[in-house]
Amino acid sequence: DVKVTQSSRYLVKRTGEKVFLECVQDMDHENMFWYRQDPGLGLRLIYFSYDVKMKEKGDIPEGYSVSREKKERFSLILESASTNQTSMYLCASSYVGQKNSPLHFGNGTRLTVT
Amino acid sequence: AQTVTQSQPEMSVQEAETVTLSCTYDTSESDYYLFWYKQPPSRQMILVIRQEAYKQQNATENRFSVNFQKAAKSFSLKISDSQLGDAAMYFCAYRTPNSGYALNFGKGTSLLVTP
């Protein structure tokens, strides 16, 4: 089975801190994604990556950046955390070879910014 | 913008009964792929079922099946013989080749299963 591991299940940070959310997948997937999940809003795409050092903006990239130095690892960075970034963050990966390839998700990181 | 609409924020079903969750989407593409995901309280997103738009036959996975109406841009999920473990948030999603491999999700439907 594909395993997508997010380094923290819960995280509490202060306003203005630089925050790193880490995600690692073990299936050699080319694609990796970061989504944000808020009640009543569903999942919204922040950034995604097709390959090492490649990144593409999603629907809500403002206030976030990403890093993909190795194929298996995709990091989401909050340069200066704000309270409106309090949310659930979901990382996912997928295989690039099939158009119907599903996304495989991690267990999520619930981030609270105080 | 391409959108996915789940018009039922909450649904309830009795154990052993059947429930249908609705999903509509808006796209001008003819080639696309549709998915239903389940998110139980554990927060793990689990793929329930998927459907290719070019296939006329509705996908089925055990107690889960879809009613795919391409002309109406509708992709509803039917859960038969509901079980307590089916209680979860359900998300409809789709992908078009032009959008790369990211999925575009609806806002979700919370399903409650009562004994």
Side-chain angles (χ1 to χ4, degrees), chain A residues 34-86:
Chain A
W34 276 106
Y35 284 89
R36 171 176 171 160
Q37 182 179 5
D38 299 288
L41 296 179
L43 279 73
R44 294 178 291 166
L45 182 65
I46 305 172
Y47 267 97
F48 59 103
S49 169
Y50 293 132
D51 202 349
V52 175
K53 297 193 185 295
M54 301 294 288
K55 60 184 179 182
E56 296 284 343
K57 292 180 180 179
D59 299 318
I60 53 165
E62 297 79 16
Y64 304 95
S65 63
V66 290
S67 172
R68 194 165 181 200
E69 296 295 321
K70 293 185 177 182
K71 190 175 185 179
E72 67 270 19
R73 186 179 297 270
F74 192 36
S75 302
L76 180 69
I77 304 159
L78 288 64
E79 294 288 342
S80 177
S82 64
T83 54
N84 63 12
Q85 292 178 310
T86 290

Side-chain angles (χ1 to χ4, degrees), chain A residues 79-97:
Chain A
E79 294 288 342
S80 177
S82 64
T83 54
N84 63 12
Q85 292 178 310
T86 290
S87 187
M88 170 80 80
Y89 291 88
L90 292 169
C91 175
S93 70
S94 75
Y95 176 54
V96 77

Side-chain angles (χ1 to χ4, degrees), chain B:
Chain B
Q2 297 167 326
T3 58
V4 180
T5 302
Q6 295 181 247
S7 59
Q8 307 149 317
E10 295 178 348
M11 291 282 286
S12 181
V13 64
Q14 273 195 315
E15 232 178 332
E17 297 296 308
T18 295
V19 65
T20 298
L21 308 183
S22 68
C23 173
T24 58
Y25 54 92
D26 180 21
T27 180
S28 57
E29 304 288 334
S30 59
D31 181 23
Y32 51 89
Y33 303 83
L34 298 161
F35 303 80
W36 276 100
Y37 277 85
K38 166 186 176 181
Q39 187 183 42
S42 67
R43 303 184 340 206
Q44 180 66 55
M45 291 281 283
I46 301 165
L47 176 68
V48 175
I49 200 165
R50 55 183 156 174
Q51 172 87 38
E52 292 82 359
Y54 62 83
K55 289 187 178 179
Q56 292 186 341
Q57 187 171 3
N58 289 324
T60 298
E61 290 286 345
N62 300 315
R63 297 183 294 108
F64 298 88
S65 61
V66 299
N67 182 8
F68 174 47
Q69 302 288 330
K70 191 171 184 178
K73 296 181 183 177
S74 172
F75 183 59
S76 59
L77 175 69
K78 186 171 84 170
I79 306 174
S80 304
D81 186 26
S82 297
Q83 300 175 0
L84 293 177
D86 294 334
M89 281 291 291
Y90 286 81
F91 293 97
C92 177
Y94 87 112
R95 165 197 292 147
T96 66
N98 289 338
S99 66
Y101 286 87
L103 293 185
N104 190 3
F105 286 87
K107 294 181 179 181
T109 295
S110 178
L111 179 65
L112 175 66
V113 181
T114 56

